């Protein structure tokens, strides 16, 4: 069978690499892909943008693609699954209505409140209803969020009331376009962040291996928020008791709530959680897709056939299937372009990829492209350029293997954190 992966980042490289391992799969297309997917056996890039739904649909019909898996949120929120389903083409991901869980924070907060799922207290505003006095009455820090998709930049944690009012005014004034015409002002939560990712079909769920990512750019979880600077799996903070609690208090009521509201969920569902000191799993956000960079270490550990899992979900037999996992830990370190997450450099030649390919572990490409007169030079083409993933019997061993890969690779002004996994490693040493 032929598979299409929609997207072109590290998550999509990992999805394509994993699908290509399936003995049932003849070829995996990636639209648009990157230099990493261009070089993998059985994988071919297709020059179609991830949000060009018409062209993607036409391509799957022409090539006889049996299954499409959508990586990024944009096409999901825009309704790619509804379009494919109407044309009788299998597409793994939530419908436009279910994807609102990521597409609108105001919708999600109201949904969580209505279904009594734990989350920070909040209030929603538009330019017409904004109330600076409400902001001044909140405890600091206070969190200001743009309602719509803002490429991970729509959340501002404000240490003063004035900066919160300024952030709110900026969003309402159009600094995020339509995504900020509605905003959410939210209580700041403390605790440890956990990513909890499942495959869902209606109320049937297959939880994937646990993981944790690092959102801040600098060591010690300092500096600006990013799309993610590294991740590892499993996350030892998710004990069996916490796992059960997250399923019971977050995942199950979310899926049954969506179904009761007439929007049954199919696809990867990612809950970003803040685990409070008393163990309460507060929902920070939902993503309607697999996480990046969590996908890379999680799929390094998946021993089952990913195509089988997606097809089981689509076919309604998810409840009868189990996922097998490599018991080892996997840890991914993101190598980012100089300047990221602000304006960053592009087009820097990357060296050392051949040497890294001879080491244990795996380097997934994110923002890369093939360049040069003979098409052999790989250059940077995005903020998060590579994700180097190591495996090991402990998180510390996986970390050592990942950093061996990182040290083999270089480009001008490359930046990466040196402490990915430090919390889990501290736990291992206790
Ligand atoms: P979100 O896109 O809503 O997950 O926000 C991005 C990041 O901002 C999260 O991963 C958290 O690190 C942080 N964040 C968001 N909301 C809160 C909150 N209410 N309290 C503390 N940190 C938050």
């Amino acid at each position: 069978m032929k598979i299409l992966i929609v997207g072109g980042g590290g998550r999509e490289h990992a999805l394509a690499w994993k699908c290509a391992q399936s003995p049932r799969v003849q070829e995996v297309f990636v639209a648009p892909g990157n230099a990493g997917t261009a070089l993998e056996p059985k994988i071919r890039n297709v020059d179609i943008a991830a949000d060009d739904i018409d062209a993607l649909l036409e391509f799957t019909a022409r090539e006889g693609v049996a299954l499409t898996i959508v990586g990024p949120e944009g096409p999901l929120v825009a309704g790619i699954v509804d379009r494919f389903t109407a044309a009788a083409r299998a597409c793994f991901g939530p419908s436009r209505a279910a994807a609102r869980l990521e597409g609108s924070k105001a919708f999600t907060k109201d949904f969580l409140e209505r279904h009594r799922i734990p989350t920070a207290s909040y209030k929603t505003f538009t330019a017409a209803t904004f109330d600076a006095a409400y902001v001044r009455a909140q405890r600091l820090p206070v969190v200001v969020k743009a309602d719509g998709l803002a490429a991970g930049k729509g959340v501002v944690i404000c240490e003063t009331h004035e900066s919160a009012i300024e952030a709110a005014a900026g969003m309402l004034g159009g600094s995020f376009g339509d995504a900020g015409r509605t905003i959410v002002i939210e209580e700041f939560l403390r605790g440890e962040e956990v990513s909890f990712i499942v495959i869902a079909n209606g109320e049937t769920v297959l939880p994937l291996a646990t993981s944790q990512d690092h959102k801040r750019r600098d060591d010690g979880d300092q500096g600006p928020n990013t799309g993610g600077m590294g991740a590892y799996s499993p996350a030892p903070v998710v004990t069996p008791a916490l796992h059960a609690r997250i399923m019971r208090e977050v995942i199950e009521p979310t899926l049954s709530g969506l179904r009761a509201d007439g929007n049954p969920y199919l696809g990867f569902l990612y809950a970003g959680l803040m685990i409070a000191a008393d163990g309460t799993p507060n929902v920070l956000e939902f993503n309607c897709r697999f996480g990046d960079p969590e996908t890379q270490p999680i799929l390094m550990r998946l021993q089952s056939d990913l195509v089988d899992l997606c097809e089981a979900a689509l076919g309604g037999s998810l409840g009868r299937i189990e996922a097998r996992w490599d018991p080892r830990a996997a840890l991914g370190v993101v190598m980012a372009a100089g300047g990221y997450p602000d304006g960053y450099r592009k087009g820097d030649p990357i060296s050392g990829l051949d040497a890294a390919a001879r080491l244990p572990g795996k380097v997934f490409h994110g923002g890369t492209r093939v360049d040069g007169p003979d098409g052999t030079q790989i250059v940077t083409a995005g903020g998060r350029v590579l994700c180097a993933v190591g495996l090991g019997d402990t998180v510390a061993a996986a970390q050592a293997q990942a950093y061996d890969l990182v040290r083999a690779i270089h480009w001008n002004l490359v930046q990466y954190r040196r402490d990915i996994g430090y919390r889990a490693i501290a736990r291992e040493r206790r």
Side-chain angles (χ1 to χ4, degrees):
M1 67 191 287
K2 296 181 186 176
I3 306 265
L4 172 66
I5 307 291
V6 177
R11 165 185 52 214
E12 288 76 21
H13 186 183
L15 287 167
W17 167 83
K18 187 66 201 167
C19 287
Q21 289 169 17
S22 168
R24 298 169 55 210
V25 170
Q26 170 196 344
E27 188 165 24
V28 180
F29 301 107
V30 191
N34 56 38
T37 51
L39 297 172
E40 292 279 357
K42 267 169 90 171
I43 302 181
R44 181 144 62 93
N45 286 350
V46 184
D47 190 17
I48 303 176
D51 58 1
D52 190 347
I53 298 175
D54 288 327
L56 293 168
L57 196 50
E58 197 268 329
F59 176 82
T60 55
R62 178 156 38 93
E63 284 287 343
V65 170
L67 171 67
T68 298
I69 303 176
V70 186
E73 63 279 15
L76 292 166
V77 171
I80 188 172
V81 172
D82 310 64
R83 290 283 308 284
F84 272 57
T85 308
R89 300 221 75 89
C91 189
F92 186 76
S95 67
R96 178 185 183 147
R100 283 187 78 195
L101 225 40
E102 174 161 7
S104 167
K105 290 194 191 286
F107 166 86
T108 300
K109 294 297 287 190
D110 293 347
F111 173 88
L112 291 167
E113 187 173 64
R114 206 151 31 86
H115 294 284
R116 297 200 171 78
I117 298 165
T119 190
S121 66
Y122 75 104
K123 206 166 158 70
T124 299
F125 297 99
T126 62
T129 62
F130 184 66
D131 178 8
Y134 172 86
V135 178
R136 285 203 185 88
Q138 301 310 303
R139 216 173 348 151
L140 292 170
V142 61
V143 184
V144 182
K145 298 184 173 183
D147 174 57
L149 295 183
K153 298 197 170 67
V155 175
V156 191
I157 294 167
C158 303
E159 302 293 340
T160 67
H161 292 122
E162 290 319 305
S163 64
I165 292 166
E166 204 176 300
M171 287 180 191
L172 293 169
S175 60
F176 287 98
D178 285 345
R181 300 287 175 204
T182 299
I183 60 167
V184 173
I185 308 262
E186 180 174 287
E187 164 199 14
F188 179 81
L189 296 172
R190 290 170 205 283
E192 191 164 352
E193 263 188 87
V194 163
S195 321
F196 199 88
I197 307 173
V198 304
I199 293 180
N201 177 5
E203 285 173 51
T204 315
V205 228
L206 179 72
L208 298 179
T210 60
S211 64
Q212 202 163 11
D213 77 339
H214 292 271
K215 286 249 165 35
R216 303 290 201 98
R217 187 190 59 196
D218 304 329
D219 285 3
D221 294 320
Q222 303 295 311
N225 252 318
T226 70
M229 294 300 287
Y232 51 93
S233 171
V237 60
V238 185
T239 58
L242 180 57
H243 194 283
R245 204 167 160 186
I246 294 169
M247 287 296 289
R248 194 172 63 241
E249 294 181 27
V250 176
I251 303 297
E252 288 163 10
T254 297
L255 294 171
S256 60
L258 282 166
R259 188 170 167 144
D261 294 348
N263 303 319
Y265 194 98
L266 178 111
F268 297 113
L269 176 65
Y270 171 125
L273 305 167
M274 186 72 87
I275 310 301
D278 69 355
T280 303
N282 285 299
V283 176
L284 288 175
E285 61 164 343
F286 284 115
N287 292 328
C288 61
R289 31 107 191 155
F290 221 139
D292 188 338
E294 292 91 334
T295 306
Q296 293 88 315
I298 289 178
L299 291 187
M300 278 286 274
R301 295 187 55 220
L302 180 64
Q303 290 172 332
S304 308
D305 187 324
L306 180 62
V307 177
D308 288 348
L309 300 185
C310 293
E311 286 203 324
L314 282 161
S317 60
L318 193 59
R320 294 196 291 279
I321 197 161
E322 264 190 65
R324 281 172 289 106
W325 300 98
D326 188 325
R328 289 177 296 171
L331 182 142
V333 178
V334 169
M335 301 178 74
Y340 179 78
D342 303 318
Y344 52 81
R345 300 164 57 92
K346 281 188 188 175
D348 285 312
I350 304 172
S351 63
L353 287 167
D354 291 343
R358 290 190 290 273
L359 296 172
K362 172 84 187 164
V363 177
F364 293 104
H365 290 227
T368 62
R369 69 182 167 80
V370 181
D371 195 30
D374 52 355
T376 53
Q377 178 62 55
I378 295 176
V379 301
T380 65
R384 291 183 295 161
V385 177
L386 301 172
C387 180
V389 185
L391 278 167
D393 290 332
T394 59
V395 178
Q399 187 201 51
Q401 197 178 87
Y403 280 106
D404 283 343
L405 290 168
V406 168
R407 277 188 292 272
I409 299 170
H410 185 75
W411 67 85
N412 192 19
L413 298 180
V414 53
Q415 52 166 342
Y416 54 87
R417 281 180 56 164
R418 280 149 176 87
D419 65 346
I420 299 300
Y422 74 91
R423 287 175 201 270
I425 292 169
R427 270 198 177 80
E428 281 177 350
R429 293 196 173 131
R430 263 183 217 158

